[in-house]
Amino acid sequence: MFHPTRFHRIFFAATVALCSFSLVHAEETKKENSETGKWVSLFNGKNLEGWTPKFRYHELGDNFKDTFRVEDGLLKVRYDGYDKFNETFGHLFYKDSFSHYRFRVEYRFLGDQCSGGPGWAFRNSGIMIHGEKPETMSRDQDFPVSIEVQLLGGDGKNPRTNANLCTPGTNVVMDGKLFTPHCTSSSSGTFHGDDWVTVEIEVRGNEIIKHIIDGKTVLQYNKPQLDPKDAHAKELSEQQGGIQLSGGTISLQSESHPCDFRKVEIMVLKQ
């Protein structure tokens, strides 16, 4: 019969304590990500843990050409491995979905646009909110059905508003009326150069969404919803039993111009 020595008893107790600590830490981390009223970073500055890429023409999880990468504590979007862009639009999805929250990023554009990138994608990226799950996207789908908050930079001369709205497979209500144009401009100024810019979004389910720059609301609307005229959005509406969107995924774009993110944060709000 085995008789535990004092060493074995101490080792066993330490092992149990370590396992208990790991479980508690995991629960605390999970709780922290859902805690209301507190800013939480969704990017650890080391790797893409918690994020999954989906590129057009590629399977879910394939980080095509190492486009999304972490270097020097920054989440970078790069195209040095591309010959031409060839409409290989990409999105980096966070693992959880959200409904009521504030979301903010600090980003900058730099360098030259990837060869073959569309003209409208010059110094153009975006935050996709109320999005579909990446698992429901087809292999050749360019953008997830979602609400897009555009991240835009100027060309050094001409005016170009920032934090605009685009609606791939969706519509919103603005000024009490259904708003169906694909893109609309905000009231912001132009951000030329490669300085860091902070864009924040306040999302309250299906009630209201605000685009905010430097503490100023530059665009707002409500009742985000699936567009029944879009075939894929119609499929999603049938699956969820209606067109209204009260929550969904968050993803960051790859649209052919290099950019960096140094902060990606969320504050969950009370419903």
Tab-separated table of all heavy atoms in Angstrom, residues 215-249:
chain	number	residue	atom	x	y	z
A	215	GLY	N	-14.475	62.807	-28.629
A	215	GLY	CA	-15.576	63.122	-27.733
A	215	GLY	C	-16.790	63.747	-28.397
A	215	GLY	O	-17.796	64.023	-27.728
A	216	LYS	N	-16.752	63.941	-29.705
A	216	LYS	CA	-17.859	64.569	-30.425
A	216	LYS	C	-18.572	63.545	-31.309
A	216	LYS	O	-17.939	62.827	-32.088
A	216	LYS	CB	-17.335	65.717	-31.288
A	216	LYS	CG	-18.420	66.427	-32.093
A	216	LYS	CD	-17.823	67.520	-32.960
A	216	LYS	CE	-18.898	68.195	-33.816
A	216	LYS	NZ	-18.318	69.244	-34.698
A	217	THR	N	-19.894	63.485	-31.192
A	217	THR	CA	-20.682	62.596	-32.040
A	217	THR	C	-20.752	63.170	-33.443
A	217	THR	O	-21.228	64.297	-33.649
A	217	THR	CB	-22.102	62.417	-31.479
A	217	THR	OG1	-22.033	61.807	-30.176
A	217	THR	CG2	-22.945	61.531	-32.393
A	218	VAL	N	-20.263	62.402	-34.418
A	218	VAL	CA	-20.215	62.887	-35.796
A	218	VAL	C	-21.263	62.218	-36.684
A	218	VAL	O	-21.457	62.624	-37.834
A	218	VAL	CB	-18.805	62.687	-36.400
A	218	VAL	CG1	-17.792	63.520	-35.632
A	218	VAL	CG2	-18.405	61.215	-36.394
A	219	LEU	N	-21.935	61.186	-36.152
A	219	LEU	CA	-22.995	60.502	-36.901
A	219	LEU	C	-23.773	59.629	-35.931
A	219	LEU	O	-23.186	59.032	-35.032
A	219	LEU	CB	-22.388	59.634	-38.011
A	219	LEU	CG	-23.351	58.964	-39.008
A	219	LEU	CD1	-24.088	60.018	-39.823
A	219	LEU	CD2	-22.593	58.026	-39.944
A	220	GLN	N	-25.095	59.571	-36.094
A	220	GLN	CA	-25.883	58.660	-35.270
A	220	GLN	C	-27.128	58.206	-36.024
A	220	GLN	O	-27.610	58.888	-36.926
A	220	GLN	CB	-26.264	59.283	-33.931
A	220	GLN	CG	-27.265	60.411	-33.966
A	220	GLN	CD	-27.596	60.913	-32.567
A	220	GLN	OE1	-26.712	61.174	-31.753
A	220	GLN	NE2	-28.882	61.034	-32.273
A	221	TYR	N	-27.630	57.040	-35.651
A	221	TYR	CA	-28.779	56.430	-36.318
A	221	TYR	C	-29.324	55.351	-35.398
A	221	TYR	O	-28.732	55.031	-34.354
A	221	TYR	CB	-28.372	55.850	-37.676
A	221	TYR	CG	-27.095	55.045	-37.628
A	221	TYR	CD1	-27.101	53.675	-37.358
A	221	TYR	CD2	-25.858	55.663	-37.819
A	221	TYR	CE1	-25.929	52.946	-37.278
A	221	TYR	CE2	-24.682	54.944	-37.750
A	221	TYR	CZ	-24.723	53.588	-37.484
A	221	TYR	OH	-23.560	52.880	-37.398
A	222	ASN	N	-30.430	54.747	-35.765
A	222	ASN	CA	-30.996	53.674	-34.937
A	222	ASN	C	-31.621	52.583	-35.805
A	222	ASN	O	-31.556	52.625	-37.026
A	222	ASN	CB	-32.001	54.234	-33.920
A	222	ASN	CG	-33.131	55.004	-34.576
A	222	ASN	OD1	-33.296	54.988	-35.803
A	222	ASN	ND2	-33.911	55.693	-33.763
A	223	LYS	N	-32.160	51.596	-35.107
A	223	LYS	CA	-32.801	50.435	-35.727
A	223	LYS	C	-31.967	49.795	-36.843
A	223	LYS	O	-32.436	49.615	-37.976
A	223	LYS	CB	-34.197	50.798	-36.242
A	223	LYS	CG	-35.160	51.231	-35.147
A	223	LYS	CD	-36.559	51.345	-35.655
A	223	LYS	CE	-37.493	51.869	-34.575
A	223	LYS	NZ	-37.506	51.047	-33.366
A	224	PRO	N	-30.725	49.411	-36.559
A	224	PRO	CA	-29.951	48.665	-37.559
A	224	PRO	C	-30.678	47.370	-37.898
A	224	PRO	O	-31.214	46.700	-37.008
A	224	PRO	CB	-28.623	48.402	-36.853
A	224	PRO	CG	-28.955	48.459	-35.391
A	224	PRO	CD	-30.019	49.500	-35.268
A	225	GLN	N	-30.694	47.023	-39.167
A	225	GLN	CA	-31.500	45.869	-39.592
A	225	GLN	C	-30.952	45.239	-40.858
A	225	GLN	O	-30.238	45.877	-41.641
A	225	GLN	CB	-32.956	46.297	-39.820
A	225	GLN	CG	-33.117	47.434	-40.793
A	225	GLN	CD	-34.486	48.071	-40.726
A	225	GLN	OE1	-35.394	47.676	-41.469
A	225	GLN	NE2	-34.642	49.059	-39.851
A	226	LEU	N	-31.293	43.978	-41.029
A	226	LEU	CA	-30.900	43.252	-42.228
A	226	LEU	C	-31.709	43.745	-43.422
A	226	LEU	O	-32.885	44.107	-43.286
A	226	LEU	CB	-31.120	41.749	-42.025
A	226	LEU	CG	-30.285	41.104	-40.914
A	226	LEU	CD1	-30.801	39.698	-40.598
A	226	LEU	CD2	-28.816	41.052	-41.305
A	227	ASP	N	-31.067	43.764	-44.575
A	227	ASP	CA	-31.716	44.215	-45.802
A	227	ASP	C	-32.339	43.015	-46.516
A	227	ASP	O	-31.622	42.167	-47.048
A	227	ASP	CB	-30.681	44.887	-46.708
A	227	ASP	CG	-31.289	45.441	-47.988
A	227	ASP	OD1	-32.499	45.275	-48.200
A	227	ASP	OD2	-30.533	46.044	-48.785
A	228	PRO	N	-33.674	42.918	-46.557
A	228	PRO	CA	-34.319	41.758	-47.192
A	228	PRO	C	-34.076	41.675	-48.692
A	228	PRO	O	-34.331	40.634	-49.303
A	228	PRO	CB	-35.806	41.962	-46.877
A	228	PRO	CG	-35.947	43.430	-46.624
A	228	PRO	CD	-34.657	43.867	-46.006
A	229	LYS	N	-33.553	42.749	-49.306
A	229	LYS	CA	-33.253	42.718	-50.734
A	229	LYS	C	-31.910	42.044	-51.016
A	229	LYS	O	-31.608	41.728	-52.173
A	229	LYS	CB	-33.256	44.133	-51.292
A	229	LYS	CG	-34.632	44.803	-51.258
A	229	LYS	CD	-34.579	46.206	-51.847
A	229	LYS	CE	-35.946	46.868	-51.799
A	229	LYS	NZ	-35.909	48.251	-52.351
A	230	ASP	N	-31.109	41.872	-49.969
A	230	ASP	CA	-29.827	41.185	-50.093
A	230	ASP	C	-30.053	39.696	-49.817
A	230	ASP	O	-30.575	39.324	-48.756
A	230	ASP	CB	-28.828	41.773	-49.089
A	230	ASP	CG	-27.458	41.128	-49.182
A	230	ASP	OD1	-27.289	40.032	-48.600
A	230	ASP	OD2	-26.571	41.701	-49.813
A	231	ALA	N	-29.673	38.834	-50.757
A	231	ALA	CA	-29.996	37.406	-50.659
A	231	ALA	C	-29.426	36.772	-49.391
A	231	ALA	O	-30.121	36.028	-48.687
A	231	ALA	CB	-29.479	36.667	-51.896
A	232	HIS	N	-28.167	37.054	-49.078
A	232	HIS	CA	-27.556	36.445	-47.893
A	232	HIS	C	-28.154	37.019	-46.610
A	232	HIS	O	-28.420	36.280	-45.657
A	232	HIS	CB	-26.049	36.663	-47.911
A	232	HIS	CG	-25.326	36.027	-46.762
A	232	HIS	ND1	-25.563	34.733	-46.337
A	232	HIS	CD2	-24.364	36.511	-45.925
A	232	HIS	CE1	-24.792	34.447	-45.301
A	232	HIS	NE2	-24.063	35.520	-45.026
A	233	ALA	N	-28.412	38.328	-46.596
A	233	ALA	CA	-29.040	38.944	-45.427
A	233	ALA	C	-30.434	38.373	-45.209
A	233	ALA	O	-30.869	38.187	-44.060
A	233	ALA	CB	-29.107	40.454	-45.611
A	234	LYS	N	-31.126	38.091	-46.287
A	234	LYS	CA	-32.462	37.488	-46.175
A	234	LYS	C	-32.380	36.110	-45.526
A	234	LYS	O	-33.208	35.748	-44.681
A	234	LYS	CB	-33.117	37.389	-47.554
A	234	LYS	CG	-34.546	36.866	-47.512
A	234	LYS	CD	-35.164	36.831	-48.904
A	234	LYS	CE	-36.600	36.318	-48.843
A	234	LYS	NZ	-37.225	36.259	-50.201
A	235	GLU	N	-31.364	35.332	-45.901
A	235	GLU	CA	-31.154	34.022	-45.276
A	235	GLU	C	-30.926	34.174	-43.774
A	235	GLU	O	-31.484	33.425	-42.962
A	235	GLU	CB	-29.948	33.321	-45.904
A	235	GLU	CG	-30.134	32.891	-47.343
A	235	GLU	CD	-28.864	32.284	-47.916
A	235	GLU	OE1	-27.816	32.321	-47.217
A	235	GLU	OE2	-28.907	31.764	-49.051
A	236	LEU	N	-30.103	35.158	-43.403
A	236	LEU	CA	-29.807	35.381	-41.984
A	236	LEU	C	-31.058	35.818	-41.227
A	236	LEU	O	-31.271	35.401	-40.081
A	236	LEU	CB	-28.708	36.436	-41.839
A	236	LEU	CG	-27.332	36.059	-42.391
A	236	LEU	CD1	-26.388	37.253	-42.335
A	236	LEU	CD2	-26.738	34.887	-41.613
A	237	SER	N	-31.893	36.638	-41.865
A	237	SER	CA	-33.121	37.100	-41.206
A	237	SER	C	-34.083	35.936	-40.979
A	237	SER	O	-34.770	35.873	-39.953
A	237	SER	CB	-33.800	38.192	-42.037
A	237	SER	OG	-34.336	37.681	-43.242
A	238	GLU	N	-34.124	34.995	-41.914
A	238	GLU	CA	-34.976	33.812	-41.754
A	238	GLU	C	-34.471	32.938	-40.623
A	238	GLU	O	-35.252	32.352	-39.860
A	238	GLU	CB	-35.035	33.035	-43.069
A	238	GLU	CG	-35.780	33.784	-44.177
A	238	GLU	CD	-35.655	33.114	-45.529
A	238	GLU	OE1	-34.833	32.170	-45.647
A	238	GLU	OE2	-36.354	33.537	-46.471
A	239	GLN	N	-33.148	32.855	-40.485
A	239	GLN	CA	-32.559	32.048	-39.412
A	239	GLN	C	-32.822	32.653	-38.040
A	239	GLN	O	-33.060	31.934	-37.071
A	239	GLN	CB	-31.056	31.901	-39.636
A	239	GLN	CG	-30.686	31.084	-40.857
A	239	GLN	CD	-29.196	31.136	-41.164
A	239	GLN	OE1	-28.384	31.573	-40.348
A	239	GLN	NE2	-28.820	30.692	-42.361
A	240	GLN	N	-32.796	33.993	-37.943
A	240	GLN	CA	-32.976	34.627	-36.635
A	240	GLN	C	-34.428	35.023	-36.366
A	240	GLN	O	-34.757	35.488	-35.279
A	240	GLN	CB	-32.071	35.839	-36.486
A	240	GLN	CG	-32.496	37.075	-37.270
A	240	GLN	CD	-31.654	38.293	-36.915
A	240	GLN	OE1	-30.523	38.181	-36.442
A	240	GLN	NE2	-32.198	39.481	-37.125
A	241	GLY	N	-35.290	34.885	-37.375
A	241	GLY	CA	-36.707	35.166	-37.174
A	241	GLY	C	-37.071	36.628	-37.242
A	241	GLY	O	-38.023	37.070	-36.594
A	242	GLY	N	-36.355	37.423	-38.026
A	242	GLY	CA	-36.660	38.835	-38.173
A	242	GLY	C	-35.468	39.600	-38.701
A	242	GLY	O	-34.351	39.074	-38.766
A	243	ILE	N	-35.688	40.864	-39.067
A	243	ILE	CA	-34.622	41.638	-39.691
A	243	ILE	C	-33.874	42.550	-38.716
A	243	ILE	O	-32.768	42.994	-39.019
A	243	ILE	CB	-35.154	42.497	-40.860
A	243	ILE	CG1	-36.150	43.553	-40.360
A	243	ILE	CG2	-35.778	41.613	-41.926
A	243	ILE	CD1	-36.540	44.558	-41.449
A	244	GLN	N	-34.456	42.839	-37.549
A	244	GLN	CA	-33.826	43.786	-36.638
A	244	GLN	C	-32.554	43.195	-36.023
A	244	GLN	O	-32.499	42.017	-35.675
A	244	GLN	CB	-34.804	44.183	-35.532
A	244	GLN	CG	-36.046	44.908	-36.031
A	244	GLN	CD	-35.748	46.225	-36.718
A	244	GLN	OE1	-34.861	46.972	-36.293
A	244	GLN	NE2	-36.471	46.519	-37.789
A	245	LEU	N	-31.533	44.043	-35.890
A	245	LEU	CA	-30.255	43.622	-35.315
A	245	LEU	C	-30.067	44.279	-33.954
A	245	LEU	O	-30.077	45.506	-33.846
A	245	LEU	CB	-29.097	44.025	-36.234
A	245	LEU	CG	-29.017	43.298	-37.580
A	245	LEU	CD1	-27.965	43.951	-38.467
A	245	LEU	CD2	-28.713	41.817	-37.379
A	246	SER	N	-29.869	43.459	-32.935
A	246	SER	CA	-29.651	43.973	-31.586
A	246	SER	C	-28.245	43.688	-31.080
A	246	SER	O	-27.886	44.081	-29.976
A	246	SER	CB	-30.682	43.371	-30.621
A	246	SER	OG	-31.979	43.801	-30.971
A	247	GLY	N	-27.454	42.982	-31.852
A	247	GLY	CA	-26.093	42.644	-31.451
A	247	GLY	C	-25.423	41.854	-32.548
A	247	GLY	O	-26.010	41.599	-33.607
A	248	GLY	N	-24.177	41.461	-32.287
A	248	GLY	CA	-23.465	40.665	-33.272
A	248	GLY	C	-21.969	40.741	-33.073
A	248	GLY	O	-21.472	41.211	-32.043
A	249	THR	N	-21.243	40.292	-34.073
A	249	THR	CA	-19.786	40.233	-33.989
A	249	THR	C	-19.167	41.604	-34.232
A	249	THR	O	-19.797	42.520	-34.758
A	249	THR	CB	-19.218	39.246	-35.021
A	249	THR	OG1	-19.604	39.683	-36.334
A	249	THR	CG2	-19.724	37.836	-34.772
